[in-house]
Amino acid sequence: MNEQEVYYTIALTRMTGFNFQTALHLYRELGGGQVVYEHRNDIKDVIPDCTDRLAASLKDWSLPLARAAQEMEFITKHHILPLLLDSDDYPQRLSECPDAPILLYYMGSADLNQRRVINIIGTRHCTPYGQDLIRRFVSDLKRLCPEVLIVSGLAYGVDVCAHRQALENGYETVGVLAHGLDEIYPTAHRETAKKMLTQGGLLTEYMTETKADKLNFVKRNRIVAGMSDATILVESAAKGGGLITTSIAMDYNRFVFAFPGAVGAPYSEGCNNLIRDNGASLITCAEDFVNAIGWQNDVQLRQAHAEGIERSIFPELSDEEQKIARILDEFGDFQLNQLSVRTNIPIGQLTALLFQMEMKGVVRPLAGGTYHLLK
């Protein structure tokens, strides 16, 4: 961890008055929080379109740096991992998004860049129908695809039900919080959150002493959507936070699915409307989801590996698969995010292509999200 860079990046989020878009613009333009600090007195020379108001606000860093020092102490004491936007541990799917946080705070054991990441979201008033849907979906998905990271928001209703079913079925699960890691909200979910630390994790863009305000929940939805390959809406009223997340996911060109419900049921109305308006693909079970997203059965993959896949059996590669193979052949092993940059293929699409290539015996995944070309 580059402690100096983390220190100045934390301060940068305070310098911009919690306007994360402004912080992101400065961070990406100059390449880091420390560089922004170093140019605090000549920012318009390096960023000509910087407004006079922003330039003036960037001159005095004394209070933000003091607050950053306090946050660094908390991070160290509680073994929190700060994830900078350009770090390997940062959720690479999220880093592709135009409004990605420049810094995340993470406690947990899960790899945030697993091959398959989904989020399960919906109303805080989850009905027995919704609870049963989640129970069957997660259980059946575990049988079809044993390695999936399940993300949600640790809120009442669908969120916590999804987390608990993930834990019960042996999945890792990550909760994205709308406040700092110095508290758990709601407190009723504290025990679930503790279990998630050893079988998943807790993630937030917010510093300590940040209250769980309504606007924060809306903002955190972009993290839930952005770090996932697919968003699955279980139950939703005609208006609700789940629909905000599905809208964000669509803007990110991610898969969106929804379970239908009875006509007139208040907490199925949002799902039914979304399906009707072609905002989500209809699913009724895990098999529907796996087939629709193009994930082949992991059991089949293990069987194929056990039988010994020969590359000659699968000579046909698509143009994109050939592009991936050529780059791995020329430059050697690459991590997923590096390969995405080299090939100019979005991570969500790239993971699906790499899985197909693994099935064909062309590539093999290594530790740390690295891929190796089999010759």
Side-chain angles (χ1 to χ4, degrees):
M1 178 180 72
N2 185 337
E3 291 189 2
Q4 282 292 98
E5 181 57 35
V6 171
Y7 171 61
Y8 285 108
T9 300
I10 292 173
L12 177 59
T13 65
R14 303 283 297 194
M15 286 298 301
T16 52
F18 302 102
N19 185 326
F20 296 130
Q21 280 286 55
T22 300
L24 177 62
H25 175 67
L26 292 169
Y27 187 95
R28 282 183 163 158
E29 282 289 314
L30 296 182
Q34 185 169 354
V35 183
V36 177
Y37 172 77
E38 291 168 352
H39 286 284
R40 63 193 180 281
N41 294 317
D42 62 350
I43 194 70
K44 297 198 74 169
D45 292 339
V46 292
I47 305 181
D49 63 349
C50 180
T51 65
D52 291 339
R53 182 178 178 180
L54 178 58
S57 70
L58 289 174
K59 290 186 181 296
D60 184 6
W61 287 58
S62 54
L63 290 178
L65 287 174
R67 182 65 179 85
Q70 179 184 343
E71 197 69 13
M72 291 292 288
E73 290 182 10
F74 186 88
I75 286 171
T76 301
K77 180 178 180 180
H78 295 277
H79 308 290
I80 294 169
L81 180 63
L83 304 175
L84 292 165
L85 179 61
D86 56 358
S87 70
D88 290 339
D89 293 331
Y90 189 97
Q92 298 304 317
R93 296 167 178 84
L94 179 61
S95 68
E96 298 177 342
C97 301
D99 52 358
I102 61 175
L103 178 67
L104 295 168
Y105 303 94
Y106 179 53
M107 294 179 68
S109 56
D111 177 3
L112 302 179
N113 289 301
Q114 295 184 33
R115 178 193 297 171
R116 293 169 176 166
V117 184
I118 64 171
N119 66 71
I120 300 175
I121 56 164
T123 179
R124 298 185 180 208
H125 306 282
C126 189
T127 70
Y129 168 71
Q131 294 169 21
D132 186 55
L133 283 179
I134 296 168
R135 187 180 304 111
R136 288 189 291 108
F137 177 82
V138 175
S139 176
D140 291 345
L141 185 65
K142 180 65 175 181
R143 173 175 51 82
L144 296 171
C145 299
E147 296 178 2
V148 178
L149 177 64
I150 295 181
V151 177
S152 199
L154 201 64
Y156 288 112
V158 169
D159 286 17
V160 74
C161 185
H163 289 308
R164 288 170 177 166
Q165 286 302 314
L167 292 170
E168 186 173 318
N169 284 277
Y171 273 137
E172 291 182 316
T173 181
V174 169
V176 183
L177 309 181
H179 51 79
L181 288 172
D182 53 334
E183 64 174 318
I184 294 297
Y185 178 85
T187 55
H189 298 164
R190 188 178 300 276
E191 288 304 312
T192 299
K194 286 182 179 178
K195 293 178 183 177
M196 291 166 64
L197 292 178
T198 57
Q199 194 179 323
L202 302 174
L203 184 70
T204 184
E205 65 180 317
Y206 295 106
M207 300 171 65
T208 55
E209 301 179 13
T210 301
K211 300 303 178 184
D213 295 330
K214 183 177 181 180
L215 184 59
N216 292 355
F217 285 98
V218 176
K219 288 182 177 179
R220 72 94 189 270
N221 288 347
R222 78 190 197 284
I223 299 175
V224 173
M227 67 183 291
S228 307
D229 298 310
T231 291
I232 300 173
L233 185 65
V234 176
E235 284 189 304
S236 174
K239 295 182 179 179
L243 293 174
I244 294 174
T245 306
T246 59
S247 177
I248 295 170
M250 284 186 279
D251 288 341
Y252 291 161
N253 293 316
R254 305 297 165 83
F255 293 99
V256 177
F257 300 92
F259 283 97
V263 174
Y267 294 112
S268 290
E269 191 174 357
C271 292
N272 292 344
N273 292 346
L274 193 66
I275 294 167
R276 178 199 65 199
D277 298 336
N278 296 317
S281 298
L282 183 154
I283 56 172
T284 62
C285 59
E287 287 84 355
D288 287 352
F289 169 74
V290 170
N291 291 332
I293 200 172
W295 290 353
Q296 295 194 33
N297 191 315
D298 280 359
V299 175
Q300 293 176 346
L301 177 59
R302 288 199 300 270
Q303 290 174 345
H305 282 174
E307 294 168 2
I309 303 174
E310 296 292 337
R311 288 185 63 181
S312 59
I313 299 176
F314 301 99
E316 297 296 329
L317 294 180
S318 68
D319 291 343
E320 289 178 322
E321 290 171 340
Q322 289 179 16
K323 183 178 183 180
I324 295 168
R326 284 196 301 270
I327 289 173
L328 290 175
D329 185 46
E330 182 177 354
F331 298 101
D333 299 347
F334 269 128
Q335 287 190 321
L336 182 63
N337 61 312
Q338 297 169 325
L339 192 55
S340 177
V341 172
R342 285 278 185 178
T343 58
N344 198 30
I345 299 174
I347 286 181
Q349 181 183 353
L350 182 61
T351 54
L353 288 168
L354 286 165
F355 182 73
Q356 294 297 326
M357 294 175 71
E358 185 183 353
M359 283 292 294
K360 296 175 181 178
V362 177
V363 300
R364 177 163 56 92
L366 305 176
T370 299
Y371 282 86
H372 174 75
L373 181 69
L374 297 173
K375 299 181 179 181

